[in-house]
Structure formats: structure tokens, C-alpha cells
Amino acid sequence: MPPKVYITRRFHFSASHRIYNPAWDEVKNLEVFGKCSHPTGHGHNYELEVTVAGPVQPDTGYVMDLTRLRSSIEAAVIELLDHRNLNTDVPFLKGQIPSSENLIVALWAQIQPLLPEGVELVRLRLWETPRNSFEYYGETV
Amino acid sequence: MPPKVYITRRFHFSASHRIYNPAWDEVKNLEVFGKCSHPTGHGHNYELEVTVAGPVQPDTGYVMDLTRLRSSIEAAVIELLDHRNLNTDVPFLKGQIPSSENLIVALWAQIQPLLPEGVELVRLRLWETPRNSFEYYGETV
Amino acid sequence: MPPKVYITRRFHFSASHRIYNPAWDEVKNLEVFGKCSHPTGHGHNYELEVTVAGPVQPDTGYVMDLTRLRSSIEAAVIELLDHRNLNTDVPFLKGQIPSSENLIVALWAQIQPLLPEGVELVRLRLWETPRNSFEYYGETV
Amino acid sequence: MPPKVYITRRFHFSASHRIYNPAWDEVKNLEVFGKCSHPTGHGHNYELEVTVAGPVQPDTGYVMDLTRLRSSIEAAVIELLDHRNLNTDVPFLKGQIPSSENLIVALWAQIQPLLPEGVELVRLRLWETPRNSFEYYGETV
Amino acid sequence: MPPKVYITRRFHFSASHRIYNPAWDEVKNLEVFGKCSHPTGHGHNYELEVTVAGPVQPDTGYVMDLTRLRSSIEAAVIELLDHRNLNTDVPFLKGQIPSSENLIVALWAQIQPLLPEGVELVRLRLWETPRNSFEYYGETV
Amino acid sequence: MPPKVYITRRFHFSASHRIYNPAWDEVKNLEVFGKCSHPTGHGHNYELEVTVAGPVQPDTGYVMDLTRLRSSIEAAVIELLDHRNLNTDVPFLKGQIPSSENLIVALWAQIQPLLPEGVELVRLRLWETPRNSFEYYGETV
């Protein structure tokens, strides 16, 4: 039986957002979210780590071609996020508070269909800053 | 069922220590621990990564407020470690060899009570240097 | 004569901006600035390195107290930038295109008056992303 | 029961390789592997993270001596890889395509016998570049 | 007079090389260059930092468009180096020992003609590993 | 005339220290130096960057052999600092407050005699933490 290896590619995008629940007024938003809810927004350099796993293919020594993984995720996902406003510009975040938690769960649904058969999506890790990160493994509570 | 997301915050502290077992004489300590047991001690810039997990809250898009996680851990834990001597100054390390292994297990007990209900402590990772790190998941052997 | 030492402190802030010249119409702005001019803006995690220099003081071994340098710059500068929109929220950028070049020149004027006598501001370095940075030494062409 | 702690040491080596399947002709190799198959090869600064786990020893506060882990892996593994060509020079890669997947699986077999009793090899992580990494946990599919 | 600002862009390429002086025999090469002269070569992930300087343009707030700087250097320089062998594949290194010193001096001549009028090349910095780097300012001794 | 290239090597050491002026009493020391003067000391992972410059040698393509630079500085300097207490253990710091400013000036005098003829010491940069650094160019005020 072939060994199972996990491969990870890091992506980068710069975006702005404002944490804001439209069901609440400004006062409650500022009370709950603090400076993250300033009306004119703020932004981050996000780093996204995508980890997939599968058997090593004997004829290539690859789980899958990382260049193909990279270009398909850049075209289908990163292009929609980079230099954009997460509150207004991103189709797959419409109607959601653009927290990193909601973003990473939405990214799972975007990235999973891009993988070839036999390769599974295992982990997403998103850095909002070099000191804050978020992971999602496709689990529910 | 809501998605389960893992959130991680990195902390920094600078401390000194000496690896030393008081049940042994100096010769045996130096034999076992080498330069880590020099009598006048040495020190490190420690990086601590705290990972907690829980359901994404629909009204905030957060697992929990990271600013609150940060300030409670800084006040209750980092303040006791930063610019301190781990052999003599830290109440929750009293009577223990201040190795990174013992430190990370002691930190688990300090951090767990600080979390809100429904949020679990999942992983601590401690870097002693950029090339050495230690993880603890609350397990026993 | 005492040795001259340069000391550097790194600061972090997250902000949003849009590169946009109000003297031009939308078409020209997008033509010149590309994705940096998307109307809803984008953002970055900025890293700012402040370098000052002066003689080493014989009674402290310090050029100046780095903790004091840090807290004065955080209060007077970083507080005005962090989690803010550089186009609309920052008093010392009013009327300017919020490029990193204009930001770093404006920061020089904000930081210089905060230094104690005998300590000179030597260099500012601003990272917009981990791959793009900007330096200013107080020079004109 | 003693706590189980995971300890990780990072290693560095610089090597060259060419991704190439000798069962295929040049045209097919370039078609499948692209620039990774240029005949004269290319190279990387690899970073290898070795994670082992075991009970904390009460008399040392250590899972095992990290200095001993480091020197045994450097002597038995890193010495054979550093400043070498992975296609031609490394005994334990003979007859294999030197992809990072095959390299990490081969490293598992090299490193496991070096560990003391009671300490298990848990994870290898290999960075080919700062943006691409590979993990192996000893699993098969 | 407009302020003078320095802007820096980081580039990445992976290449192989062998340090070897063809005027010497194998014995002398190994004696002088050690493991850097292994006949089958080794490789690195190089990081190249290009710093240019000039006046801030009042209508853009830019010294020059960093996207344009990036794409011109990637097309004219990085494309020739990435996933290549520095001994055999790079036209502008022909006949030279591919040390980082010779590479950085050769890069200066390649990059300078790519800059727009009024923008000067100030500094190149090349990392061969995260611990070794080389700088060139266009000076002779 | 041969090109002048600057080469830099990074070193690492872990040490403890206490900022303390013996001419003052404890109260004044704590007032001036704050937590940096806690009696039992604290510590850091220091990173030291040594930059030297000289002409590129035509027969090697090197300014000087970086491996030789590395081993001479490790033997003569890093060995005296690593896993040591800067207040009590380091001969060339005797009688000095072990601030990073005094350390970097003392390191200049240690490192300069180690260089071969024709190679000059240009810059030392010392990181006390990832956010604080100190530079010395051999200047007086």
C-alpha cells in the first residue's frame, strides 16, 4: 500500500474588511467588536495554507502536481480575494460577517471541488496577522 | 450543526533558566544537561502558541473574541513569565525542573480555566528557539 | 568619545487604503493604479521599523530607553493608524494619496519630535507586505 | 501517568535535484514535470522538522535530550544530504524519483531507528521552499 | 524639493550550482571550496532584494510602479535563473564561477537598464540561505 | 578594479543578563531599568549579523571563505556567549553593564582581529528579540 503524504501550499492576499453585524446598531457593533468594527474598515495581509493528502503516485513521486494545485486555487479563489473588500466584493461571502472563521469555512467549500480524485482536502490555515491564525478541518461541533 | 474552527494566538516572553536537578550534585548535572546546566543560567525568547477550538457563533462570526483571549492570557500567565527567572520567580513552576516540557504542561493548567464555556483548549506549542519547539495536547502516556 | 549605536524597534499596524488621485476620473485611476485602486479598498498588515542613533550613555549602557521609545511612538503614531482607513481616518495623511511613500515621509515628521535630545532619527522602513518595503532617511532629491 | 509531550527539532540542508522518470523520454518528462525536469537540475534550501513524542522523564524534565536527537540525525541523515545531488549521491534514495514525497518517506525509515526506546517518531515536515511543504506520519492509504 | 524614498521588492528563485574553478584540478577545487565543490552540485532557494530610489511623484505618490518593477525583473532576470543550473544555463554567468558574489555583480548589470529614467539602482541583496547574504552597491575597491 | 561586495553571516546564541548599574542601589536600578533589572535576571535568543566587505577574488569568486568566517567567529566569540550569563561569565564584558549597546561595541573589538587582510568589518547587527535590534559601524559620536 502506498504511503500517504500531506502537501501544503501557502497563498497570499491583501484585503480589507469590517467586522459588523447588520442586525445590530453601530453602538452595539462597536461595543462587541471594538476597533475591528470602525466604519471605514481596516485590512490585512492574509496568508492561507492549503493542505491536501493522498497516496504517492509511483510514476511521478507526487501526490499531485503542486503547480496545478497552485494555479487552480489562485485562479478560482485568490483572484476573488486579493486587493478586495471582504464585506462587499466577494461572491462567496455575501451575507456573512467577514470574520476569519467565516472566511475559512467558506474557503473550504470553494477549494474542495478543485482537487483531483483521490486527493482529499485535510486542513486550511489562515493567518490574519503573524500572531493570529485560524484552522479548519471540515468538522462540525 | 455549526462548523468547528481552531483559533491560535502567539505570545512572546523572555526568561532565564538553568536545567538542574537538585537531587544530583553539580558533576552529574553538568554530565546530564551539559551547557544547559551552567550555574549562572542562560535565557531565551520564548514564543507560545495557544490553540483553542469551538463552534462559530452565528451573531459574531467568532469562536471567541481573540482580544479577550489575548488579554486574559497576558495578564494571568505572560506577566508571570516575562523578564523572569524560571527557576526562582514563577509560582506555578515551584519545585520543578524548568524544562520546556515541564513548562508547557504547567501552562496547560494555567490557561484552561481562562477559557469561556464551550471553548476547549486543544494545543500549546512553545518555541525555545526558532529551531526547537514543544507541543502538548493534554495527553498522558 | 563614546561609540555611536543605532537602535531599531519594530511596530505593527493593520490598515486599509485605496490608491486614488481625486484629480483623475475612475477610468484613469484604474488604468494607472490597477487593482490598488479598487473603489472599496483593500488592506495590509504594515510593519514599521524605526531606527534612531546616538552615543551610548555610560551610566545606563543605553542610547535611550527602548521601552520609552516604544510607548511614545505607539501612543502618538500607531494608535492613529491601527485598524484605520488611511484615506479617511488619519489626520496627518489628509489630502494625500495614501501610498507607502507618502505614509513614510509623513511618519518621519510625526516621529522626529518624539525623540529625546541627542538622539537622531536615522531611518524608517515600512513593509506593506513581506515582499515590498520602503525606506526613508529624511532626504530630498 | 506522566504527560505526553511532542518535541520538534528543525534541520537545514541544501541540495540539488531533477524530477525525472527514467522510464519516460525527455519529451514526456518535460511535459509532466515542467521546469522541475530541466536536464541540468536545480536546487533548494530544505528545512526538515522532526517531531518525536514520549513521556516526560521525572528526573530530567525531558522527553529526551534534544542535543542527542540533533547530533544523531545530523550525523546519520543530514550529512548524507547537505550540499549533495539527490539524484545521484544519496544511498537511501537510489532508484527513486527524488520528489519531496519520496524523500520524506525515505527519511522516516532513516530516522526511526535512531530514537531511544519509549520515544516514537510522530511527524516529519519538509519545506522545499518557504511556500511548499510536505508532511508524513508513517501512514499508508 | 521632493523627498527621496527607497523602494525594495523581494524575488525568489531556486537554482543549483557548483563552485569550481576550471583552471584548477579536482583536488585543488575540493581543497579550496570543500563541499561547495561536490561534482554533482547542490542548490539553494535564493531570495533577491532589489532596492531602487528616486523622488516621490506628486500625482501618484509613487517612486515608480512596483508592479511594473516586479514584472520587468521577473521577465528579464528571474525567468533565466529559476529552476536552472547556474554553471551551465544562465547566459550572463557564462565563463564565471557561480558564487553569490559573482552572481550579484552580474545581476546589477542586468537590472540597471530595466529602470525608468530618474530612478537609480541602489542596492542588491541576495540570500543564499536564511543565514548567508550578499550585498552589492555598484562599488569597486 | 574589482567589485566590492558585502557578505553577511548570521549567528545565534542564548544568554541571560540583568541590566544593573552597581553604582546605584536596587531602588534606583528598578526605577531606571524596570523589569530588565529583576534581580534573578532574564534571557534572550540573540541573533548576531556580521557584515564584512572586500574585493571579489578572481580565482575563487569569493570575498572570503564564509565557512572560515563562520568557524573563526563561532570559536572565538559565540562559544563564550552561548548558554552563558552576560553579567558574570564573559571575559570581554567584565565591568560593563551587559546592555545590547555595550555588547555590540565589545563584539566589534573581538571580531575585527579575526578577519583576513583586505577584508574590513563593516557592520554588526544584534537582535535581542525579533522586534528590537542594534547596529554598530565602528563610529564614535
Side-chain angles (χ1 to χ4, degrees):
Chain A
M1 280 184 315
K4 179 182 183 181
V5 172
Y6 298 70
I7 66 177
T8 299
R9 170 80 203 176
R10 242 180 190 243
F11 299 88
H12 178 89
F13 60 94
S14 296
S16 60
H17 72 162
R18 178 198 179 186
I19 305 300
Y20 174 79
N21 181 339
W24 297 341
D25 62 16
E26 290 289 325
V27 174
K28 174 136 192 207
N29 271 289
L30 281 166
E31 197 184 290
V32 174
F33 297 121
K35 65 183 179 179
C36 296
S37 201
H38 282 155
T40 49
H42 61 282
H44 298 291
N45 300 325
Y46 291 90
E47 295 275 334
L48 174 67
E49 235 182 63
V50 177
T51 302
V52 304
V56 181
Q57 305 297 330
D59 54 346
T60 58
Y62 284 175
V63 168
M64 71 170 286
D65 184 339
L66 259 175
T67 305
R68 221 156 294 170
L69 179 68
R70 173 187 173 180
S71 56
S72 69
I73 292 178
E74 278 183 347
V77 178
I78 304 300
E79 271 302 300
L80 301 180
L81 294 165
D82 189 34
H83 281 72
R84 293 293 180 179
N85 182 311
L86 304 182
N87 296 72
T88 59
D89 300 351
V90 182
F92 60 82
L93 288 173
K94 278 280 152 65
Q96 296 197 61
I97 300 174
S99 67
S100 286
E101 286 91 334
N102 282 340
L103 175 53
I104 204 171
V105 174
L107 283 169
W108 187 275
Q110 298 301 308
I111 291 170
Q112 202 167 39
L114 303 174
L115 301 181
E117 220 193 294
V119 175
E120 49 170 330
L121 182 57
V122 172
R123 180 181 64 212
L124 294 180
R125 190 164 191 178
L126 180 71
W127 276 265
E128 199 179 74
T129 74
R131 306 196 83 72
N132 290 352
S133 67
F134 301 80
E135 286 163 273
Y136 186 53
Y137 296 81
E139 299 167 300
T140 52
V141 177
Chain B
M1 280 183 315
K4 180 182 184 180
V5 172
Y6 297 71
I7 65 177
T8 298
R9 171 81 202 174
R10 243 180 189 243
F11 299 87
H12 179 91
F13 59 94
S14 296
S16 59
H17 71 162
R18 177 197 181 186
I19 305 300
Y20 174 80
N21 182 339
W24 298 340
D25 60 17
E26 289 288 326
V27 174
K28 172 134 194 209
N29 271 289
L30 281 167
E31 195 183 291
V32 174
F33 297 122
K35 65 184 179 178
C36 296
S37 201
H38 282 155
T40 48
H42 62 281
H44 298 290
N45 300 325
Y46 291 90
E47 296 275 334
L48 173 66
E49 235 181 64
V50 178
T51 302
V52 305
V56 181
Q57 306 297 329
D59 55 347
T60 58
Y62 285 175
V63 167
M64 71 170 287
D65 185 340
L66 259 175
T67 305
R68 221 157 293 171
L69 178 68
R70 173 187 173 177
S71 55
S72 70
I73 293 178
E74 279 183 348
V77 179
I78 304 299
E79 271 303 299
L80 301 180
L81 295 166
D82 190 35
H83 283 73
R84 294 292 181 180
N85 182 312
L86 304 183
N87 295 73
T88 59
D89 300 350
V90 182
F92 60 83
L93 287 174
K94 277 281 151 65
Q96 295 197 61
I97 300 173
S99 66
S100 287
E101 285 92 333
N102 282 340
L103 176 52
I104 203 171
V105 173
L107 283 168
W108 187 275
Q110 299 300 308
I111 291 170
Q112 202 167 42
L114 304 174
L115 301 182
E117 219 192 294
V119 175
E120 48 169 331
L121 183 56
V122 172
R123 180 182 63 211
L124 294 181
R125 190 165 190 176
L126 180 72
W127 277 263
E128 201 179 74
T129 74
R131 307 195 81 73
N132 290 352
S133 68
F134 302 80
E135 287 162 273
Y136 186 52
Y137 297 81
E139 298 167 302
T140 52
V141 176
Chain C
M1 281 185 312
K4 180 181 183 181
V5 172
Y6 298 71
I7 65 176
T8 298
R9 170 80 201 174
R10 244 182 189 243
F11 299 87
H12 179 90
F13 60 94
S14 297
S16 60
H17 72 161
R18 177 200 180 186
I19 305 299
Y20 174 79
N21 182 339
W24 298 341
D25 61 16
E26 289 289 325
V27 174
K28 175 137 193 209
N29 270 289
L30 281 167
E31 196 183 291
V32 173
F33 296 122
K35 66 184 178 179
C36 296
S37 201
H38 281 154
T40 49
H42 62 281
H44 299 291
N45 299 325
Y46 291 90
E47 296 275 333
L48 174 67
E49 236 181 63
V50 177
T51 302
V52 305
V56 180
Q57 306 296 331
D59 55 345
T60 57
Y62 284 175
V63 167
M64 71 171 285
D65 185 338
L66 259 174
T67 305
R68 220 156 296 170
L69 179 68
R70 174 186 173 179
S71 56
S72 69
I73 292 178
E74 278 183 347
V77 179
I78 303 300
E79 271 302 300
L80 302 180
L81 295 166
D82 190 35
H83 282 72
R84 293 294 180 176
N85 181 312
L86 305 183
N87 295 73
T88 59
D89 299 351
V90 182
F92 60 84
L93 286 174
K94 277 281 152 64
Q96 296 197 60
I97 300 173
S99 66
S100 286
E101 285 92 333
N102 282 340
L103 176 53
I104 204 172
V105 173
L107 283 168
W108 188 275
Q110 298 300 307
I111 291 170
Q112 202 167 40
L114 303 174
L115 301 182
E117 219 192 295
V119 175
E120 48 169 330
L121 183 57
V122 172
R123 181 181 63 211
L124 295 180
R125 191 166 189 176
L126 180 71
W127 276 264
E128 199 179 77
T129 75
R131 305 195 83 72
N132 289 352
S133 68
F134 302 79
E135 288 162 272
Y136 186 53
Y137 296 82
E139 299 167 301
T140 53
V141 177
Chain D
M1 280 184 314
K4 180 182 183 180
V5 172
Y6 298 72
I7 65 177
T8 299
R9 170 81 202 174
R10 242 181 190 243
F11 299 87
H12 179 89
F13 59 95
S14 297
S16 60
H17 72 161
R18 178 199 180 184
I19 305 300
Y20 174 80
N21 182 338
W24 298 340
D25 61 16
E26 289 288 326
V27 174
K28 174 138 193 206
N29 271 290
L30 282 167
E31 195 183 291
V32 173
F33 296 122
K35 65 183 179 179
C36 296
S37 201
H38 281 154
T40 49
H42 62 281
H44 298 291
N45 299 324
Y46 291 90
E47 296 275 333
L48 173 68
E49 235 181 65
V50 177
T51 301
V52 305
V56 180
Q57 306 297 331
D59 55 346
T60 58
Y62 284 175
V63 168
M64 71 170 285
D65 185 337
L66 259 175
T67 305
R68 220 156 296 171
L69 179 67
R70 173 187 173 179
S71 56
S72 70
I73 293 178
E74 278 183 347
V77 178
I78 303 299
E79 270 304 299
L80 301 180
L81 295 166
D82 190 35
H83 282 73
R84 293 292 180 179
N85 181 311
L86 304 182
N87 295 72
T88 59
D89 300 351
V90 183
F92 59 84
L93 287 174
K94 277 282 151 63
Q96 295 197 60
I97 300 173
S99 67
S100 286
E101 286 92 334
N102 282 340
L103 175 53
I104 204 171
V105 173
L107 283 168
W108 188 276
Q110 298 300 308
I111 291 171
Q112 202 166 41
L114 304 174
L115 301 182
E117 218 192 294
V119 175
E120 48 169 332
L121 183 56
V122 172
R123 180 182 62 213
L124 295 180
R125 191 165 189 177
L126 180 72
W127 276 264
E128 200 180 74
T129 74
R131 307 196 80 73
N132 289 352
S133 67
F134 302 79
E135 287 162 272
Y136 186 54
Y137 297 81
E139 299 167 300
T140 52
V141 177
Chain E
M1 282 185 313
K4 180 182 183 180
V5 172
Y6 298 71
I7 65 177
T8 298
R9 170 81 202 175
R10 244 181 189 243
F11 299 87
H12 178 90
F13 60 93
S14 296
S16 60
H17 72 162
R18 177 198 180 186
I19 305 299
Y20 175 78
N21 182 339
W24 298 340
D25 62 15
E26 289 289 326
V27 175
K28 173 136 193 208
N29 270 290
L30 281 167
E31 196 184 291
V32 174
F33 296 122
K35 66 183 178 180
C36 296
S37 201
H38 281 154
T40 48
H42 62 281
H44 298 291
N45 299 325
Y46 292 90
E47 295 275 334
L48 173 67
E49 235 181 63
V50 178
T51 302
V52 304
V56 181
Q57 307 296 330
D59 55 345
T60 57
Y62 284 176
V63 166
M64 71 171 286
D65 185 339
L66 259 173
T67 305
R68 222 156 294 171
L69 179 68
R70 174 187 173 179
S71 56
S72 69
I73 292 178
E74 279 182 347
V77 178
I78 303 301
E79 271 302 298
L80 301 180
L81 295 165
D82 190 36
H83 282 72
R84 293 293 179 177
N85 182 312
L86 304 183
N87 296 71
T88 59
D89 299 350
V90 182
F92 60 84
L93 287 174
K94 277 280 152 65
Q96 296 197 61
I97 300 173
S99 66
S100 286
E101 285 92 333
N102 282 340
L103 175 53
I104 203 172
V105 173
L107 283 168
W108 188 275
Q110 298 301 307
I111 291 171
Q112 203 168 39
L114 304 174
L115 301 182
E117 219 192 293
V119 175
E120 48 170 331
L121 183 56
V122 171
R123 180 181 64 212
L124 295 180
R125 191 166 190 176
L126 180 71
W127 275 264
E128 199 179 77
T129 74
R131 306 195 84 72
N132 290 352
S133 67
F134 302 79
E135 287 162 273
Y136 186 53
Y137 297 81
E139 298 168 301
T140 53
V141 177
Chain F
M1 282 184 314
K4 180 182 183 179
V5 171
Y6 298 72
I7 65 177
T8 298
R9 171 79 201 175
R10 243 181 190 244
F11 299 87
H12 178 89
F13 59 95
S14 297
S16 61
H17 73 162
R18 176 200 181 186
I19 305 300
Y20 174 80
N21 181 339
W24 298 340
D25 62 16
E26 289 288 326
V27 175
K28 173 137 194 207
N29 270 290
L30 280 167
E31 196 183 291
V32 173
F33 296 121
K35 65 183 178 179
C36 296
S37 200
H38 282 154
T40 48
H42 62 282
H44 298 291
N45 299 325
Y46 292 90
E47 295 275 333
L48 173 67
E49 234 180 64
V50 178
T51 302
V52 305
V56 181
Q57 305 297 330
D59 55 345
T60 58
Y62 284 176
V63 166
M64 70 171 286
D65 184 340
L66 259 175
T67 305
R68 221 156 294 170
L69 179 68
R70 174 186 173 179
S71 56
S72 70
I73 293 179
E74 278 182 348
V77 179
I78 303 300
E79 270 303 298
L80 301 180
L81 295 165
D82 189 35
H83 282 73
R84 293 293 180 178
N85 181 312
L86 304 183
N87 295 73
T88 58
D89 300 351
V90 182
F92 59 84
L93 286 174
K94 276 282 152 64
Q96 296 197 59
I97 301 173
S99 66
S100 287
E101 285 92 335
N102 282 340
L103 175 53
I104 203 171
V105 173
L107 284 168
W108 188 276
Q110 298 300 307
I111 291 170
Q112 203 167 41
L114 304 174
L115 301 182
E117 220 192 293
V119 175
E120 47 169 332
L121 183 56
V122 172
R123 181 181 64 211
L124 295 180
R125 191 166 188 175
L126 180 70
W127 276 264
E128 199 179 77
T129 74
R131 306 196 82 72
N132 289 352
S133 67
F134 302 79
E135 288 161 272
Y136 185 53
Y137 296 82
E139 299 168 301
T140 53
V141 176

